[in-house]
Amino acid sequence: MRLGILISCLFLISRSTNILDERDFVLDDEGVDITEWGSIERDDKVEFDLETYPLQIETEAALGSGQKIVLRFWGEGNTIGDITIEFSAEATYSISSCTSTQMKFISLPADNSKVWTIKKTDSSLTVECNDALVLEYLFASSENSQCSSNWSQDVDTFMFQPLDTASVRYRAVGTDEYESLCANSSCYPRWGNLLKGRRVTANSTCGQDGPEEYCLVSNNEENIMCGVCDESNIYKQHPPNYMKDRRIKSQTTWWKAENGEDKVTLQLDLETTFQFTHLIMVFYSFRPGAMVIERSTDFGKSWTPYQYFAYDCQKVFGMRERELGEADEYGVKRHPDEDVICTSKYSMLEPAQGGEVIYK
């Protein structure tokens, strides 16, 4: 049986924004800070986490001009719907699957120059215009049941449609701005996946030297699934960026190492300092028998272990297995933030697919 290491999902989770830089930033897949105003490229998909970062759009359209903002949103490849704002004699809006006709805004600022802020949760959509709330739409209020089922999905991509004639530029609203009220009250920064917009590299990836056959064992151990990994074929490739699924249990895409490769290094450059909380890895195949998580604060010149994982800690790493905060073999207890332990909890043979490795 041909088998390499396979990871279907890798999540690195933070519960704060950048804690060194006073200005929050959000990077897209090309490393561009999308909290800076950017030009509009119609009919071009933009990766965007609307549930975390509100979308701001600038327009210069006058009422009666007939110009429009036309946006389409997707989640995990599924079309969620369109939002249209039209500058007719009166400004109107429509939300596909929710409103049957163009609806009037209650009131809008009189200036032609407007900045629209669109925020979304799984139950509602709000729109602000020049910092004034002009729409708060509850998906459950629609007579169309498809409204809630469609728009409750998380948005990960959007597009300015070709019919969009009003949008001038756009940006993401960074969490420093969005959560500015925290300066005067208690609040907990939102969770965020630090892998989003960042590049994961691996020292081994299947199919780079031509088609490579592999086989997988299912959880019931009765079915064996075989396939071919081929970097040159978009439908058969399994590169490192395929680990960055939005949902932790998603196995739509996955990375695979070369057959027989038993020592693989995955590396992620966070570019700055974050308050790290969780690392979650979901494996498409068996979990590794041994693994170590390390960090570097000098751009990869040196590395410090975070935690060891092994089916036999003593045999593999020469360490006694123990719980976080428990005294080591020398009787020394360390603060959990400074303690480095080895555990066998996530190195068992089962399950054959979907097993997790969690560090927190």
Side-chain angles (χ1 to χ4, degrees), residues 126-193:
T126 59
V127 178
E128 296 176 5
C129 183
N130 292 356
D131 295 324
L133 181 64
V134 295
L135 174 64
E136 187 169 14
Y137 190 90
L138 298 176
F139 302 134
S141 66
S142 174
E143 296 180 357
N144 187 347
S145 61
Q146 287 295 112
C147 179
S148 288
S149 61
N150 287 0
W151 287 94
S152 62
Q153 301 176 70
D154 289 347
V155 168
D156 57 28
T157 309
F158 85 99
M159 175 193 290
F160 290 95
Q161 296 284 73
L163 292 176
D164 186 311
T165 54
S167 301
V168 176
R169 56 181 186 162
Y170 79 99
R171 70 173 188 136
V173 180
T175 51
D176 281 348
E177 299 174 73
Y178 185 51
E179 298 177 350
S180 59
L181 292 177
C182 295
N184 299 314
S185 61
S186 307
C187 70
Y188 294 93
R190 66 179 69 233
W191 296 96
N193 182 11

Side-chain angles (χ1 to χ4, degrees), residues 23 36 60 80 144 179 192 211 218 229 233 262 301 306 327 333 348:
R23 184 183 65 83
E36 298 287 349
E60 298 288 345
I80 293 175
N144 187 347
E179 298 177 350
S218 66
C229 179
N233 188 326
D262 59 358
K301 295 177 182 177
Y306 250 152
K333 287 187 177 182
M348 299 297 100

Side-chain angles (χ1 to χ4, degrees), residues 12-308:
L12 186 59
I13 301 176
S14 163
R15 199 165 183 177
S16 75
T17 55
N18 181 351
I19 60 175
L20 290 187
D21 193 339
E22 293 182 356
R23 184 183 65 83
D24 188 27
F25 60 86
V26 186
L27 301 179
D28 64 12
D29 279 343
E30 297 180 354
V32 177
D33 181 4
I34 59 174
T35 61
E36 298 287 349
W37 287 102
S39 58
I40 304 297
E41 294 185 22
R42 291 170 176 81
D43 209 22
D44 187 19
K45 287 186 176 181
V46 178
E47 185 174 302
F48 199 98
D49 185 350
L50 189 59
E51 279 68 29
T52 301
Y53 303 103
L55 171 64
Q56 277 194 338
I57 301 170
E58 185 178 78
T59 63
E60 298 288 345
L63 289 179
S65 66
Q67 291 181 284
K68 299 177 181 180
I69 300 173
V70 186
L71 308 172
R72 176 161 294 175
F73 297 90
W74 287 267
E76 294 192 333
N78 301 316
T79 301
I80 293 175
D82 296 357
I83 296 175
T84 302
I85 297 174
E86 186 170 352
F87 296 86
S88 304
E90 295 181 283
T92 60
Y93 69 90
S94 67
I95 306 170
S96 62
S97 301
C98 299
T99 60
S100 57
T101 60
Q102 289 289 123
M103 309 293 290
K104 295 179 182 179
F105 287 105
I106 298 174
S107 62
L108 287 180
D111 299 341
N112 285 346
S113 181
K114 294 179 173 64
V115 175
W116 304 81
T117 305
I118 300 173
K119 306 174 185 177
K120 179 188 169 298
T121 68
D122 60 359
S123 61
S124 68
L125 180 79
T126 59
V127 178
E128 296 176 5
C129 183
N130 292 356
D131 295 324
L133 181 64
V134 295
L135 174 64
E136 187 169 14
Y137 190 90
L138 298 176
F139 302 134
S141 66
S142 174
E143 296 180 357
N144 187 347
S145 61
Q146 287 295 112
C147 179
S148 288
S149 61
N150 287 0
W151 287 94
S152 62
Q153 301 176 70
D154 289 347
V155 168
D156 57 28
T157 309
F158 85 99
M159 175 193 290
F160 290 95
Q161 296 284 73
L163 292 176
D164 186 311
T165 54
S167 301
V168 176
R169 56 181 186 162
Y170 79 99
R171 70 173 188 136
V173 180
T175 51
D176 281 348
E177 299 174 73
Y178 185 51
E179 298 177 350
S180 59
L181 292 177
C182 295
N184 299 314
S185 61
S186 307
C187 70
Y188 294 93
R190 66 179 69 233
W191 296 96
N193 182 11
L194 296 183
L195 262 73
K196 187 173 178 62
R198 292 179 172 85
R199 185 167 174 254
V200 183
T201 59
N203 68 343
S204 175
T205 299
C206 68
Q208 291 184 327
D209 297 323
E212 184 176 321
E213 185 181 359
Y214 64 88
C215 293
L216 301 174
V217 180
S218 66
N219 279 323
N220 60 20
E221 299 185 1
E222 295 179 357
N223 298 323
I224 297 178
M225 180 190 77
C226 294
V228 174
C229 179
D230 185 354
E231 186 184 49
S232 65
N233 188 326
I234 191 172
Y235 299 106
K236 296 181 179 181
Q237 61 185 214
H238 298 286
N241 67 302
Y242 275 14
M243 287 182 278
K244 300 189 294 181
D245 292 335
R246 283 184 56 81
R247 299 186 184 278
I248 291 177
K249 285 296 186 181
S250 172
Q251 293 184 354
T252 304
T253 59
W254 35 278
W255 160 79
K256 183 185 180 304
E258 296 169 276
N259 289 335
E261 186 65 57
D262 59 358
K263 292 183 179 179
V264 176
T265 299
L266 301 176
Q267 189 168 319
L268 170 70
D269 184 0
L270 293 178
E271 300 150 350
T272 187
T273 303
F274 288 85
Q275 180 185 336
F276 168 82
T277 62
H278 292 68
L279 170 67
I280 303 174
M281 304 177 75
V282 182
F283 286 80
Y284 199 67
S285 62
F286 296 101
R287 290 173 292 188
M291 184 176 74
V292 59
I293 299 172
E294 298 177 314
R295 64 174 173 174
S296 174
T297 57
D298 56 8
F299 304 99
K301 295 177 182 177
S302 62
W303 295 87
T304 303
Y306 250 152
Q307 186 161 319
Y308 294 89

